[in-house]
Amino acid sequence: MTQTPKYVYYFGPEGTEGNASMVNLLGGKGANLAEMAGHPDLRLPVPAGFTITTEVCTYFMQHGGQYPPSLKEQVEEALRKVEKAMGMKFGDPENPLLVSCRSGARRSMPGMMETVLNVGLCSKTIPGLIKKTNNPRFVYDAYRRLIMMYSDVVMEKAEGIEPPEGMGIRVQLERMMEELKHKKGYEKDTDLTAEDLQQLCEAFKAKVKEVLGKPFPDDPFEQLWGGIAAVFKSWNGKRAVAYRRIEGIPDDWGTACNVQSMVFGNMGDTSATGVAFTRNPATGENQFYGEWLPNAQGEDVVAGIRTPNPLNKATKTEQNKHLPSLEEAMPEIYQQLLDIRNRLERHYKDMQDIEFTIQEGKLYMLQCRVGKRTGTAALNIAMDMLKEGLIDEETAVLRVAPKQLDELLHPIVDPNAEKKATTIASGLPAGPGGACGQIVFTSEDAVEWTKKGKKVILVREETNPEDVEGMRAAVGILTARGGMTSHAALVARGWGKCCIVGAGKIKVDPVKKSMTVNGKTYKEGDWITLNGTRGFVYEGQLPLIDATENPRLKEFMALVEKYRKLGVRTNADTPADAKIAREFGAEGIGLFRTEHMFYGEGSDEPLFILRKMILSRTAEERRKALDELFPFMKRDIKGTLEAMNGLPVTIRLLDPPLHEFVPQDEEKQAELAKAMGISVEDVKRRGEELHETNPMMGHRGVRLGITYPEITETQVRAIFEATAELIKEGKDPRPEIMVPVTCDVKELDITKQIVDRVHAEVEKKFGVKIEYLYGTMIEIPRACLLADKMARTAQFFSFGTNDLTQMGFGFSRDDIGGFLPDYLEKRILMADPFQTIDQEGIGQLIEMAVRKGRATRSDLKIGICGEQGGDPDSVEFCFKVGMNYVSCSPYRVPIARLAAAQASIKASRKN
C-alpha cells in the first residue's frame, strides 16, 4: 500500500515537524519558522502554525488549481494542533483563532507574492473577539485590514483582474479611508474610532461587491482556503514571474504557504510590530538595526505608509530622530529582542532579517531569513564575521556574490561636485553608489525610456511590487515614503541599485507626472542625481566617478586569490585597457583584437591605409598598402605587450570580413579614390564586389590569410618585431598568436608555415631568441568535433563562445532581439545563451573539444575569450571542464576572480 505523501508540516511550542535544512520543501520562511520553534538551541516564541509544502504548489499549477486528495484532511489535522497550542479555536464564536496566510519560496522574493492577515474574522467571530479583548477599536481595525488585503489579493489579483492605474480595489478602499479621515479632521489612521472603523468596514464590503461583483466572504474556512489558493496563484503572478526572470529563479520551484496564528501589534500602546536586521544591511556595520511601529500590523512597516521608529538610539537618523526607539519605549522587550538577535547570529552564522510582533507586552518572532544586503555590507559582514571567528575563510569568500562585487566597483557621485551642489532633499540611503538620470513617475515609463537608451530615475510616493520591472530598468530609485525595510529598499539592496527612500520633503503627483520639493516643481524628463550611499538628492546632472580602491576589498581579494585555481585574463585592445585590467588582477590578455586599431581614437590614418589595401586589385598594390600599415600594427602590438610585461598576450589575427571597413559615405569614397588614382565609381564597385550575403560565415579570419597570405605575414612580422624590440629593451614580452575561425587543422598548418618563416627571419634580423605560442580560436562546431586533430598543430585553444553559440544555435547575435525575449518569456530557453554558456548544448561541444584536444596534447593550454568569460555560472563551468583560464573585459576581472575561487571551494567541498 503506497503511503500518502506528507504535504503539511506543523510548527509550534511542542512537536515541530520541520527544520532549516528542509528549505526546498518548506520554503525559506517555513523552514526557518520550524527551526526557530523547534531547534533545541533556539525554541523562540513563535506563534504556532503549519506550512503547506512547495509540492502542493507544483500540483496546484499542474492540475488547474486542484489540490492533492489528502490535503484538506492534513490541513484540518494541523489546524487542530495549532488550536491546542494557542488555546483558541478557528471559527469559534466565543474564542476565535485568527491566522495569516503567507507565501515563502525557497529563495527570498521580497514583496513578490502575497500575504493575507486576520483570516477568520467574520460576523460570527467579531462579537466574541470584542468580548474577549474588550477592545472594539482593535477588532474593527483588524477587520478593515482583512477586507482591504483579501479583496486585493484573493478577489482581484488572484483572479487575474487588472484594473486601470489608480482603480484597483485596494486603492479605492484606501481612498475611502483617507476621505473619512479628512472629513473628521484626523491626521493618522490611529485617530479613527471604533465607530468610524465599524462604519468603514460596512462601506468597504459594499464597495467590494460593487467593484468586484461578489460579496466579501463571511465564512472563516472560505477565507482560509481563498488565502491559500491566492498564495499558490501568486507564484505565477506577473511581478513574481518578472522577478524570477531577473534573479534566474526556476519556475518549477513553486512556493510554500505558511498558515500561522495571528498575534497583534495593533492592540494599543503596549503592542507594536517591527522588522530588524542583526547587522546594518546597507553598510554591514555590526549594529542591531531595524524599525518598528507602535499599535500597528506588520504590513504598515514594509508598506512605508507611516515613517517607522528606529529600533535603538545608536541607529537614529535625521528622518526619525524625533521618534522614540524601542530601546527607550520598551526597554525590557528590547533586551529580549537583542538576546534573540545574538542567538540567531550564533546559530545561523550569518546576518538575519527578522520580523517580530509585540502583543500587549509579549514578544513573538514571526520570521527570520538570511538578510539581503548591499555589496558593501556583504564585504564588511564577511570580513567581520571571519575576524569574530563565526565563519572560516572559505565561507567568507562564498559570502560575497560576484554581482555584489560588481556593485563595489560602481560609480559614486564626484565628491568635489557634491561640495558645490545644493541638496534638494534627503532620505534614507537604501542602495549604494551614485545615479544620475531623468525623472519618470511610472514603472512602464521607466521601461520604455530605458529601451530608448535614456537613463532614468524612478520617482514614486512609495514603490510596490508591481513596480519591479521599472525598478530594474531605472538607474536609481527615489521614494517619498518608506523606511529601510520598505519594498523599494529591500529590492534595491538585493540588486545593488542606487536607491533613496523616505525622502519626506518630496510631494509626488503621479497623475500630473511631477514632484514638488520646497515649492519648486520638477517634471518628467528633468534631471536629478542621487547619492544612494548618503541619502542625498541633487538637482541636475552631477558627474559620477569610479569608486576608489577600498582597503577592505583588497584584503578580501587577497583571500580570494588563496583559493582560486582557474586563471583570469582580460580582453583588451589598448595599453590603457591592459593597464586597468592589470590593476584589477588580470594575469594576461586572452584576446587582443588586431582590428581594434581601425576603430575609435587615432584610427583615421590606419583605417584609410587599410581601405586602400582592401580595394587593391593586385598583390603588389596590396603589399604596398600593408607596408604602410605595418608601423601602426607594430606600434599597437608593442604598446600592449609592454603594458602586460611578463604576462601572456593572445593576439588574434585579423578576424572581421573586409567589407565592414569599406567607406559608405561619398566624401570618404572620394578621398580614397583620389589617393588610389581611381574613380569614385571604381571605389563603389570594388566595395560592392566584397559584399557578402552572410558575412559572419564568409571571407573572414583564417580564410583571409589563405587567400591573401601577405595579410597574415604582415601581422605576424609586426608581432615578432614588436617582441624583438621589447626584448632588446630588457622587457619580457610573451606573445601568443591565435588564428581565428578555423575548421580544419590544414588551415593551421598552412598559416604555421608563414609564422615559422617570419619567426626565423625576425630572430636573425634582431639577433634574439623569441619564445611564443601558436594556437587557434575554437568557434566553429566542426573544430570541436576535430579538436584532436587541431591539437596536433595548435599549442592552445581559446573558445570564442560568441561565434560558437551563434553557429551551434543557428542564431545571429545581431538579430536575436526579435525573438529571444519570447524564447525567454515562454521558457524555451532559461537564459540568454550569449550572456551565459548554454551548458546543455554548447557546453557539450566545449567539453568534447577539451577532452579530445588534451588526448592529443596533454599540456594543451585552454581558455575562453567570449562575452561569457565574466559570467559567474560560465566561469564555474570552465573550471569544471578543466580550462586553464577565462578572459573577460577589464571591469569584470575581479568578478571572474571571485567566481573562480568560489567554483574551486564548491568543488573541494563536494569532493
Side-chain angles (χ1 to χ4, degrees):
M1 198 173 124
T2 55
Q3 201 178 350
T4 307
K6 186 170 174 60
Y7 293 122
V8 180
Y9 287 74
Y10 167 80
F11 57 84
E14 280 171 27
T16 291
E17 293 174 321
N19 60 57
S21 70
M22 297 167 73
V23 66
N24 292 1
L25 190 64
L26 303 180
K29 197 171 288 174
N32 284 326
L33 282 166
E35 187 82 354
M36 285 197 295
H39 195 283
D41 293 347
L42 294 172
R43 298 264 161 88
L44 301 179
V46 174
F50 55 87
T51 301
I52 303 173
T53 67
T54 54
E55 289 174 351
V56 176
C57 181
T58 309
Y59 185 100
F60 185 85
M61 294 303 163
Q62 290 169 351
H63 293 80
Q66 299 297 306
Y67 295 113
S70 62
L71 182 72
K72 191 165 184 286
E73 196 182 309
Q74 290 188 35
V75 164
E76 285 168 359
E77 189 189 330
L79 190 56
R80 282 194 291 276
K81 287 185 187 173
V82 174
E83 290 170 341
K84 189 180 172 195
M86 300 303 289
M88 293 178 270
K89 192 165 167 37
F90 189 70
D92 187 76
E94 303 295 322
N95 186 21
L97 171 74
L98 303 187
V99 296
S100 62
C101 288
R102 306 171 87 182
S103 62
R106 66 173 86 168
R107 217 161 93 197
S108 169
M109 294 171 61
M112 291 304 110
M113 292 177 297
E114 305 296 359
T115 294
V116 186
L117 305 178
N118 311 328
V119 171
L121 263 184
C122 60
S123 55
K124 187 170 88 169
T125 56
I126 285 171
L129 195 59
I130 290 174
K131 189 176 170 190
K132 186 181 166 188
T133 59
N134 198 25
N135 189 344
R137 192 205 172 278
F138 146 70
V139 176
Y140 284 111
D141 184 47
Y143 192 40
R144 70 96 189 158
R145 288 168 187 273
L146 169 66
I147 298 167
M148 289 173 98
M149 294 173 106
Y150 194 96
S151 60
D152 171 40
V153 169
V154 182
M155 300 175 76
E156 187 172 82
K157 287 201 186 92
E159 293 305 311
I161 298 167
E162 291 186 22
E165 177 82 20
M167 293 309 289
I169 186 64
R170 181 149 193 168
V171 179
Q172 293 196 48
L173 298 182
E174 277 171 356
R175 222 178 279 139
M176 287 168 69
M177 192 159 93
E178 286 305 312
E179 282 164 11
L180 178 64
K181 277 159 61 181
H182 183 70
K183 185 175 151 192
K184 298 264 185 172
Y186 298 154
E187 278 279 306
K188 304 194 289 281
D189 296 356
T190 45
D191 295 335
L192 290 161
T193 66
E195 290 72 27
D196 294 331
L197 288 163
Q198 189 175 358
Q199 287 166 20
L200 200 56
C201 290
E202 291 310 310
F204 274 7
K205 287 194 284 187
K207 179 58 89 174
V208 168
K209 189 168 184 191
E210 177 200 320
V211 173
L212 299 174
K214 49 184 169 182
F216 184 80
D218 199 39
D219 175 73
F221 284 93
E222 188 185 339
Q223 290 177 8
L224 176 62
W225 286 101
I228 292 167
V231 164
F232 292 141
K233 285 178 183 174
S234 72
W235 177 252
N236 276 343
K238 254 187 180 174
R239 64 195 195 208
V241 170
Y243 189 86
R244 288 204 296 278
R245 296 286 174 276
I246 293 162
E247 291 287 309
I249 296 171
D251 287 338
D252 58 6
W253 277 7
T255 179
C257 175
N258 299 289
V259 176
Q260 189 175 19
S261 304
M262 283 298 304
V263 285
F264 299 97
N266 58 332
M267 286 186 78
D269 294 337
T270 58
S271 299
T273 187
V275 176
F277 296 86
T278 56
R279 302 188 185 213
N280 186 315
T283 65
E285 212 176 339
N286 190 357
Q287 274 183 330
F288 194 19
Y289 188 92
E291 297 167 333
W292 70 290
L293 280 171
N295 198 13
Q297 280 200 316
E299 54 157 347
D300 299 340
V301 182
V302 291
I305 293 160
R306 287 157 60 183
T307 299
N309 298 31
L311 197 63
N312 46 36
K313 288 179 281 194
T315 56
K316 285 193 172 189
T317 64
E318 276 301 307
Q319 280 67 36
N320 62 21
K321 64 183 180 186
H322 61 289
L323 298 167
S325 68
L326 187 67
E327 184 182 19
E328 293 160 313
M330 302 183 188
E332 282 177 21
I333 298 273
Y334 177 76
Q335 274 310 313
Q336 282 176 46
L337 195 61
L338 190 60
D339 172 59
I340 287 171
R341 170 239 187 181
N342 296 334
R343 286 165 65 194
L344 285 172
E345 269 213 352
R346 278 198 303 273
H347 183 74
Y348 284 101
K349 301 187 186 322
D350 201 353
M351 187 265 274
Q352 297 294 302
D353 163 357
I354 59 180
E355 286 180 24
F356 62 91
T357 285
I358 300 157
Q359 178 176 305
E360 297 184 310
K362 183 167 167 41
L363 175 67
Y364 291 95
M365 299 300 296
L366 303 186
Q367 176 171 307
C368 84
R369 61 184 174 196
V370 171
K372 290 206 176 290
R373 62 205 76 181
T374 62
T376 305
L379 174 70
N380 288 332
I381 290 168
M383 297 310 281
D384 284 345
M385 286 189 168
L386 177 63
K387 282 195 170 62
E388 291 159 24
L390 263 182
I391 58 174
D392 59 18
E393 286 184 350
E394 286 189 352
T395 307
V397 171
L398 293 171
R399 280 285 164 86
V400 181
K403 66 178 181 185
Q404 287 178 315
L405 199 59
D406 192 16
E407 231 178 274
L408 291 164
L409 308 167
H410 266 324
I412 56 172
V413 182
D414 183 344
N416 294 324
E418 221 171 342
K419 278 176 198 161
K420 298 170 198 157
T422 310
T423 311
I424 58 169
S426 66
L428 298 170
C436 177
Q438 292 173 276
I439 303 170
V440 293
F441 293 93
T442 70
S443 176
E444 293 75 18
D445 287 338
V447 172
E448 281 308 309
W449 286 43
T450 303
K451 275 184 189 163
K452 292 173 186 164
K454 295 179 179 180
K455 285 186 162 49
V456 300
I457 307 264
L458 179 63
V459 178
R460 300 286 276 164
E461 182 69 24
E462 70 215 10
T463 66
N464 61 52
E466 268 81 24
D467 295 325
V468 60
E469 291 184 80
M471 293 168 76
R472 183 64 171 182
V475 294
I477 301 155
L478 172 64
T479 73
R481 295 199 297 197
M484 287 289 271
T485 52
S486 65
H487 173 260
L490 278 174
V491 173
R493 253 197 310 280
W495 288 340
K497 179 88 63 180
C498 179
C499 175
I500 297 170
V501 298
K505 283 186 181 173
I506 292 172
K507 298 287 172 276
V508 180
D509 188 335
V511 179
K512 290 184 180 164
K513 295 195 174 181
S514 68
M515 71 170 194
T516 308
V517 192
N518 299 326
K520 182 168 180 183
T521 299
Y522 297 85
K523 292 190 165 59
E524 182 178 68
D526 288 345
W527 286 83
I528 57 170
T529 302
L530 308 183
N531 179 337
T533 309
R534 295 172 69 203
F536 294 148
V537 185
Y538 301 98
E539 186 178 305
Q541 302 177 61
L542 266 60
L544 304 177
I545 59 167
D546 283 334
T548 48
E549 277 264 14
N550 175 344
R552 207 87 199 262
L553 182 58
K554 283 184 172 172
E555 192 188 343
F556 177 74
M557 291 310 288
L559 204 58
V560 164
E561 289 307 291
K562 197 169 164 181
Y563 294 94
R564 179 172 67 84
K565 293 187 176 76
L566 183 70
V568 177
R569 297 191 188 183
T570 189
N571 301 340
D573 305 312
T574 66
D577 282 351
K579 184 172 176 289
I580 291 166
R582 217 175 162 149
E583 284 166 6
F584 281 139
E587 298 165 311
I589 289 179
L591 178 63
F592 171 88
R593 291 163 278 233
T594 49
E595 63 270 14
H596 179 82
M597 67 187 77
F598 309 121
Y599 306 115
E601 199 182 336
S603 64
D604 287 354
E605 198 177 347
L607 178 59
F608 185 72
I609 300 165
L610 176 76
R611 284 169 169 169
K612 281 182 9 188
M613 187 274 288
I614 290 168
L615 299 180
S616 300
R617 282 287 189 207
T618 64
E620 192 186 341
E621 278 182 16
R622 209 164 17 256
R623 281 189 186 281
K624 193 178 168 201
L626 284 165
D627 288 344
E628 279 184 70
L629 201 52
F630 178 78
F632 294 99
M633 283 188 183
K634 187 164 83 171
R635 177 199 68 190
D636 276 28
I637 291 165
K638 185 177 177 181
T640 301
L641 282 168
E642 188 172 15
M644 296 308 274
N645 188 43
L647 295 174
V649 176
T650 304
I651 301 160
R652 182 179 74 183
L653 301 181
L654 196 62
D655 181 43
L658 294 179
H659 85 273
E660 278 191 13
F661 300 105
V662 174
Q664 299 303 316
D665 64 289
E666 296 203 351
E667 194 184 322
K668 291 270 193 296
Q669 287 172 344
E671 200 183 321
L672 195 58
K674 189 180 173 188
M676 294 182 73
I678 58 175
S679 69
V680 172
E681 280 63 39
D682 264 346
V683 169
K684 285 181 181 172
R685 190 164 47 252
R686 290 186 192 183
E688 281 161 12
E689 284 166 9
L690 286 170
H691 177 77
E692 293 175 310
T693 307
N694 190 348
M696 202 275 284
M697 299 171 85
H699 202 178
R700 57 176 282 224
V702 69
R703 298 158 203 165
L704 288 172
I706 300 291
T707 312
Y708 309 119
E710 56 272 23
I711 294 178
T712 300
E713 183 178 330
T714 304
Q715 293 176 86
V716 171
R717 194 173 298 281
I719 292 167
F720 286 143
E721 287 204 7
T723 304
E725 285 176 13
L726 287 168
I727 293 169
K728 288 270 201 188
E729 292 164 22
K731 303 282 191 333
D732 180 16
R734 300 188 186 181
E736 299 179 348
I737 295 172
M738 180 160 75
V739 185
V741 205
T742 56
C743 64
D744 197 288
V745 70
K746 294 188 200 76
E747 295 167 316
L748 286 174
D749 293 339
I750 290 168
T751 308
K752 185 77 161 61
Q753 290 167 12
I754 298 170
V755 173
D756 287 346
R757 176 172 56 79
V758 175
H759 179 248
E761 289 169 5
V762 174
E763 278 195 334
K764 189 177 174 189
K765 177 181 172 182
F766 284 86
V768 294
K769 182 105 178 82
I770 298 171
E771 298 283 344
Y772 75 100
L773 285 182
Y774 178 74
T776 186
M777 202 162 175
I778 302 279
E779 48 195 328
I780 292 176
R782 190 175 193 269
C784 295
L785 297 168
L786 300 178
D788 48 345
K789 291 180 177 161
M790 305 295 274
R792 287 180 203 159
T793 303
Q795 294 168 293
F796 70 87
F797 288 170
S798 179
F799 287 96
T801 46
N802 302 341
D803 274 0
L804 190 58
T805 300
Q806 291 199 92
M807 298 206 194
F809 272 93
F811 290 172
S812 158
R813 190 170 39 145
D814 300 323
D815 302 309
I816 54 171
F819 62 87
L820 190 64
D822 295 320
Y823 271 58
L824 296 173
E825 181 67 32
K826 294 183 167 72
R827 304 309 263 169
I828 295 167
L829 294 174
M830 293 300 126
D832 177 348
F834 293 99
Q835 299 292 321
T836 188
I837 290 173
D838 159 47
Q839 297 184 23
E840 193 180 23
I842 306 302
Q844 282 194 59
L845 289 171
I846 292 171
E847 258 182 287
M848 180 206 304
V850 170
R851 191 174 62 250
K852 292 182 98 167
R854 291 245 171 90
T856 299
R857 189 187 289 268
S858 60
D859 63 346
L860 185 73
K861 190 191 277 189
I862 302 177
I864 171 182
C865 60
E867 292 293 321
Q868 297 98 326
D871 164 64
D873 289 338
S874 303
V875 171
E876 189 172 349
F877 171 77
C878 295
F879 174 79
K880 275 190 212 155
V881 298
M883 288 192 197
N884 299 88
Y885 69 86
V886 295
S887 188
C888 56
S889 64
Y891 285 96
R892 291 187 74 77
V893 166
I895 295 159
R897 284 166 63 200
L898 175 57
Q902 291 182 343
S904 171
I905 291 167
K906 284 177 197 168
S908 71
R909 286 186 171 187
K910 249 183 208 164
N911 298 337

